[in-house]
Amino acid sequence: MSRCKLIAGNWKMNQGLSQAGALIKALKAELDSDKTCCSANCPELLVFPPFTSIAAVLPEAGGCLQVGAQNVHWAESGAYTGEVSAPMLKELGLSYALIGHSERRQYFGESDESANLRLRAALKAGLKAMLCIGETEEERQLGLTNCVLERQLRWGLSQVSAADMSRVVVAYEPVWAIGTGKTASEADAQAAHAFIRSLLAQLFCTDTAEKTRILYGGSMNAANAAGLLAQPDIDGGLIGGASLKPADFASIVRAAK
Ligand code: 13P
């Protein structure tokens, strides 16, 4: 099964409006200098700017470049101060919503249950959803990695139909690898991805599991991307720090070809 690779940059709470405009232009210039970077819209590229910078980035979208939101609320509207709904993101012209990032879980008390509500709201509004899962350092040391991944995946994808899975991407981000410079080894990452794919086959069917893209995130950079992306079950990357450096992000995109 050949899955088109997806390289996504999560800008987190970086790049205000003017910086974001400059960053996306610099990134496009890097990619345009290599015409083969994206042929037949593959690999797909995606960036998640902060909400206030979307206006600067969205006009640059098109072709293989899509834009997403870093979070979404599950209600369509209502008294939820500070939140943004899926229909609002869809109306803006965004393609994706990032769901259940470990920083949302760690700092804002998001749970598997709320990740599921957000994911289903995104799909209902016609967006694509990227569900983030991954174990902490402590969970890994206790041998709980697969147990945690299974819980997060089962909850996160609860009540999602096989048909809607065509609009879902899973991102495996071991929490201990995020922003630490400690990347999972190619073998460990591949093992986790293969496990996630086997779970998808159980939850849905083999065909759905084979078609669903599973991205790796956690200190992916220009130096380690090629090795990770060569693994059979690694279908792309969700990149934090290196996505803020146009030359590095473009190198990762080239590695995905
Ligand atoms: P880093 O690439 O900075 O480790 O961040 C990964 C991440 O959290 C992407 O969502």
Side-chain angles (χ1 to χ4, degrees), residues 89-110:
L89 299 176
K90 181 69 183 167
E91 185 185 5
L92 203 56
L94 296 186
S95 308
Y96 271 88
L98 193 59
I99 308 285
H101 190 278
S102 68
E103 287 150 15
R104 299 294 319 167
R105 296 177 192 257
Q106 186 180 351
Y107 302 125
F108 304 100
E110 288 192 14

Side-chain angles (χ1 to χ4, degrees), residues 10 12 98 101 103 173 177-180 217-220 238-242:
N10 175 8
K12 309 193 179 185
L98 193 59
H101 190 278
E103 287 150 15
E173 296 205 304
I178 295 178
T180 58
S219 298
M220 188 184 264
L238 178 55
I239 295 123

Side-chain angles (χ1 to χ4, degrees), residues 159-236:
Q159 296 180 60
V160 174
S161 68
D164 277 347
M165 281 301 291
S166 64
R167 289 186 290 131
V168 173
V169 172
V170 177
Y172 169 58
E173 296 205 304
V175 180
W176 49 270
I178 295 178
T180 58
K182 281 195 267 175
T183 317
S185 69
E186 291 162 14
D188 283 352
Q190 164 56 26
H193 283 234
F195 176 70
I196 292 165
R197 203 174 303 286
S198 73
L199 285 174
L200 290 172
Q202 276 178 39
L203 291 174
F204 299 97
C205 63
T206 313
D207 187 52
T208 299
E210 286 299 317
K211 285 182 176 151
T212 304
R213 289 180 292 187
I214 307 172
L215 311 191
Y216 170 81
S219 298
M220 188 184 264
N221 58 38
N224 61 29
L228 287 161
L229 293 170
Q231 302 305 307
D233 287 296
I234 300 186
D235 306 314

Side-chain angles (χ1 to χ4, degrees), residues 3-9 41-48 63-68 95-98 128-131 166-171 193 211-217 220 229 234-239 249 252-253 255-257:
R3 294 172 290 266
C4 172
K5 289 218 176 356
L6 172 58
I7 303 297
N41 287 349
C42 213
E44 283 177 37
L45 310 184
L46 170 62
V47 291
F48 294 102
C64 54
L65 177 65
Q66 304 174 76
V67 183
S95 308
Y96 271 88
L98 193 59
K128 293 176 261 190
M130 186 180 293
L131 174 67
S166 64
R167 289 186 290 131
V168 173
V169 172
V170 177
H193 283 234
K211 285 182 176 151
T212 304
R213 289 180 292 187
I214 307 172
L215 311 191
Y216 170 81
M220 188 184 264
L229 293 170
I234 300 186
D235 306 314
L238 178 55
I239 295 123
F249 194 70
I252 298 172
V253 173
K257 278 199 299 185

Side-chain angles (χ1 to χ4, degrees), residues 7-29:
I7 303 297
N10 175 8
W11 294 359
K12 309 193 179 185
M13 198 172 73
N14 297 296
Q15 311 293 308
L17 192 66
S18 54
Q19 282 180 309
L23 175 58
I24 197 70
K25 286 191 176 73
L27 176 62
K28 284 183 75 172

